[in-house]
Amino acid sequence: MTNKVVVLGSLNVDTTLHIAQMPKPGETISAKSKTNSAGGKGANQAVAAARSGATTSFIGQVGRDSNGQFMIDALKRDGINVDHINVDEADGTGSAVILLDEHGQNSIMVYGGANQAMKPAIIADSESLIDGADILISEFETPQEVTLAAFKLAKKHGVTTILNPAPASQLIAGLAEVTDLIVPNETESASLTGIEVTDTASMAANADKFTKMGIKNLIITVGDRGAYYHTPADDGFVPAFKVHARDTTAAGDTFIGALSSQINKDLSNIEDALTYAQKASSITVQRLGALPSIPTKQEIENEYK
């Protein structure tokens, strides 16, 4: 079975300036090189889902500029349906400028642009797309009000909703009740519940808090240690695959996209899907960059025969 996955999320063009050291206030320095790449949590998640075999569609917004076309073309290369990407006449395409020095330290400045200008009204045009999906994913690089509108439609049509609460922010009223599965990292989970994640007992306490909010299913990712999962039927901890990480960019997004490609609508195979997602992200961290580092299903299966 091939999952039909819809991602509602961000589209950013990342510009990385490679420099010797960070500039001091008022200092002008020269960059050794510059690279442009497709990014944004939404784009990363959609590409991860598509490369793991899911029939993937995207709901998002770009500006009427060359960066917008760059992002649309990047998604098309992975066979992602881009018919529901809106073009905003007033705001530019989202972007990030990354200063990366010789020691691997970075400073990042993000312009939300068209991502943050999205309005809930545009979701009505995507109802038929959502109706045909198995899984709908969203995160917090686009307005929560837009996610709420989309998740309400998803629940109307029996579609499973996955929320990645990143960057960390408190949930707006009503969003928890239409979220089937929430997937934070340990920092985001603690931010939402007020309970620090230190061990499995504290993870279970986080799960209890999310259940009280109205979200019955939880996965907390804890980097190279692994991931904790909790459902009304079961809970457990799956250790990560031990690898030498070169670049953790897009690891979390790869996890969520890969997970969405494998998980059943009723989440009955959550542990198996989680294990597959960890295999995918373990490959991502061994490679440089965001989209270029995301593996295909064949690469994952070849790595973990």
Side-chain angles (χ1 to χ4, degrees), residues 273-287:
L274 188 162
T275 300
Y276 176 87
Q278 294 213 110
K279 291 176 180 177
S281 58
S282 77
I283 295 173
T284 293
V285 300
Q286 296 178 72
R287 302 171 172 178

Side-chain angles (χ1 to χ4, degrees), residues 14-241:
D14 296 340
T15 298
T16 302
L17 298 175
H18 300 265
I19 56 179
Q21 71 279 325
M22 292 294 167
K24 300 179 178 68
E27 181 184 14
T28 299
I29 63 172
S30 296
K32 295 185 293 183
S33 63
K34 181 180 83 164
T35 54
N36 289 321
S37 59
K41 296 189 72 61
N44 296 339
Q45 291 168 8
V47 168
R51 290 184 186 172
S52 276
T55 300
T56 308
S57 303
F58 201 93
I59 302 172
Q61 187 161 272
V62 295
R64 190 171 293 284
D65 49 36
S66 59
N67 278 351
Q69 192 60 51
F70 177 81
M71 289 305 307
I72 289 170
D73 290 344
L75 296 185
K76 280 182 175 179
R77 281 194 291 275
D78 277 286
I80 296 166
N81 173 8
V82 297
D83 293 345
H84 293 260
I85 295 178
N86 187 54
V87 177
D88 181 4
E89 302 292 344
D91 297 272
T93 300
S95 62
V97 176
I98 303 162
L99 301 180
L100 181 64
D101 73 14
E102 292 176 341
H103 305 290
Q105 296 298 314
N106 62 23
S107 293
I108 303 173
M109 295 147 284
V110 178
Y111 166 64
N115 295 315
Q116 288 298 324
M118 287 180 73
K119 298 286 190 287
I122 74 167
I123 295 301
D125 296 332
S126 299
E127 181 166 5
S128 61
L129 178 70
I130 293 170
D131 182 17
D134 298 305
I135 307 289
L136 173 63
I137 305 170
S138 191
E139 22 74 18
F140 286 171
E141 287 187 340
T142 50
Q144 287 193 45
E145 291 80 7
V146 180
T147 297
L148 177 60
F151 277 20
K152 282 181 175 178
L153 283 183
K155 299 325 299 170
K156 173 183 171 184
H157 295 293
V159 177
T160 299
T161 55
I162 299 178
L163 181 64
N164 173 215
S169 179
Q170 294 303 307
L171 275 59
I172 63 171
L175 185 55
E177 289 81 0
V178 288
T179 297
D180 292 313
L181 171 64
I182 191 165
V183 189
N185 63 24
E186 70 266 45
T187 304
E188 293 151 359
S189 189
S191 175
L192 289 168
T193 65
I195 303 168
E196 187 180 357
V197 175
T198 56
D199 53 20
T200 50
S202 61
M203 293 176 195
N206 271 260
D208 289 342
K209 191 71 175 283
F210 280 117
T211 300
K212 289 184 175 71
M213 292 181 195
I215 306 174
K216 297 177 182 177
N217 303 285
L218 165 70
I219 294 174
I220 303 176
T221 59
V222 285
D224 60 4
R225 286 186 289 154
Y228 169 86
Y229 69 94
H230 175 93
T231 72
D234 197 14
D235 69 302
F237 189 86
V238 178
F241 295 88

